[in-house]
Amino acid sequence: MRLAGDEVAERSTPTFTEEVQVAWILVPVIVKGANGYVNGLGREDFDLKIDGRSIRFQDFEPRGEAPWSLVFLQDLSGSMGIGGRLEASQQTLDYFLEAARPGDEFALATFAGEDTNIDVPFTEDIGPVRESVASWEGYGKTALHDAVALLPRISGDSRNVKRAALLITDGVDNASTISAAAAREIVRQAQLPVYVFGLESGDPFAVAKPGEKVYSYADMLNLLAHMTGGRYFSIASPDDMKEACATVAEDLRYQYVLGFETQGVGKNAFRAIQVEVRNKKAKRVLARKGYQGLPPASK
């Protein structure tokens, strides 16, 4: 399936925003302690706050072995065809395909020039994914933001509660019709955590002189991951790639998922999400930062 660049412009309007509104909000949560992931927590251990106020959540998914739905969004532009970047990308997908368990499903989309293509819709059969990956070649310009904005449509047929997207890119954008901020907002509303592997795209925390920030493609990529509940990884070596793959796979396996319903009426607005864990083992809690929509139905 081919998604043309001008379709993205249409989907960046308020009409598209209305299409991704949902009545059920899912909040994937990762809890880490001093010795790694904290497992075995119950519903009573979590305090979910919307705009600073605690609410009741009807759904709670604690099982680490629950299957995932993972979208691969791969940059195939010309700049990815140099320096072994496509080979590194192929190795990344191979890692996740090898780690697949019963019930896991994958979708593969690629972008180059002005188009984004859904090469493989969601499937548990990894054969078509491997076949598509083997034919990759770098070409054309990069419409990165346009491709990111289409993630909600690409992931729309996912079946599992645990779901995420993995974007692999060098961060260059020279052909998009919408901005990074607009694309980020569309994905954030769609409740899809985005993990980003930035191939030689830089460190978002780098400084040149004391206190002076260095802008790089990493800033934009890191913000996309942070705002959607994913993570950004700066990839500069094979070891970086292996570590990033292992981290993402563990994150997806050890997610807790909290779910709650929204009201049928009310003001459509951005609502901040905060998750606290009432357990002394919990040292770090990772979750999405908010959602765009109606108020929670439960208080």
Side-chain angles (χ1 to χ4, degrees):
M1 181 184 297
R2 179 179 176 182
L3 304 175
D6 55 359
E7 293 182 38
V8 178
E10 295 176 3
R11 288 176 173 78
S12 64
T13 67
T15 299
F16 180 87
T17 299
E18 292 170 2
E19 290 177 0
V20 299
Q21 291 302 313
V22 293
W24 198 264
I25 304 299
L26 299 178
V27 184
V29 182
I30 298 164
V31 183
K32 304 197 75 172
N35 299 313
Y37 294 87
V38 179
N39 301 315
L41 298 178
R43 182 192 298 264
E44 68 281 358
D45 292 311
F46 291 86
D47 181 13
L48 175 61
K49 296 181 178 180
I50 305 300
D51 289 337
R53 184 166 57 184
S54 296
I55 69 164
R56 289 186 294 110
F57 48 94
Q58 295 92 331
D59 268 10
F60 178 66
E61 172 56 75
R63 297 181 299 122
E65 71 273 14
W68 65 39
S69 296
L70 183 59
V71 175
F72 298 116
L73 181 58
Q74 176 66 43
D75 185 348
L76 288 186
S77 61
S79 60
M80 288 289 293
I82 60 176
R85 294 173 183 174
L86 284 185
E87 289 78 3
S89 300
Q90 291 168 329
Q91 292 170 9
T92 296
L93 267 67
D94 187 63
Y95 178 97
F96 286 95
L97 297 178
E98 288 291 333
R101 297 179 183 179
D104 289 346
E105 61 177 5
F106 302 91
L108 173 62
T110 57
F111 61 97
E114 297 180 350
D115 299 321
T116 299
N117 298 298
I118 301 178
D119 300 323
V120 183
F122 270 113
T123 179
E124 294 184 36
D125 183 1
I126 64 176
V129 182
R130 290 191 184 280
E131 182 178 348
S132 181
V133 168
S135 66
W136 283 352
E137 292 183 5
Y139 68 94
K141 293 185 177 181
T142 315
L144 172 60
H145 309 327
D146 287 358
V148 167
L150 287 167
L151 275 172
R153 179 173 176 180
I154 296 167
S155 64
D157 293 331
S158 59
R159 298 177 300 170
N160 297 317
V161 173
K162 294 184 177 181
R163 64 188 194 120
L166 175 58
L167 167 63
I168 307 176
T169 180
D170 58 9
V172 176
D173 190 304
N174 50 25
S176 283
T177 60
I178 66 173
S179 68
R184 187 167 59 243
E185 184 63 20
I186 290 171
V187 177
R188 184 171 67 175
Q189 292 177 31
Q191 306 188 70
L192 185 69
V194 181
Y195 290 86
V196 183
F197 285 7
L199 305 187
E200 301 179 42
S201 55
D203 179 358
F205 306 105
V207 293
K209 298 177 181 178
E212 181 180 336
K213 186 74 173 66
V214 176
Y215 178 80
S216 66
Y217 294 121
D219 293 298
M220 176 268 297
L221 297 174
N222 181 57
L223 190 57
L224 169 65
H226 176 76
M227 294 304 296
T228 59
R231 295 207 226 180
Y232 168 77
F233 299 87
S234 176
I235 308 298
S237 70
D239 287 342
D240 290 341
M241 184 68 82
K242 292 177 183 177
E243 183 177 350
C245 288
T247 298
V248 173
E250 287 186 323
D251 275 7
L252 293 176
R253 292 297 180 203
Y254 294 110
Q255 280 182 357
Y256 297 89
V257 181
L258 318 182
F260 63 93
E261 192 175 13
T262 61
Q263 297 179 15
V265 296
K267 182 180 179 181
N268 187 323
F270 178 76
R271 305 181 188 279
I273 292 176
Q274 182 181 2
V275 181
E276 297 178 356
V277 178
R278 308 183 190 95
N279 188 293
K280 62 182 180 180
K281 294 182 181 180
K283 303 298 182 183
R284 187 183 182 196
V285 179
L286 300 175
R288 56 187 297 197
K289 302 305 177 184
Y291 74 97
Q292 182 81 23
L294 301 176
S298 301
K299 298 181 179 179

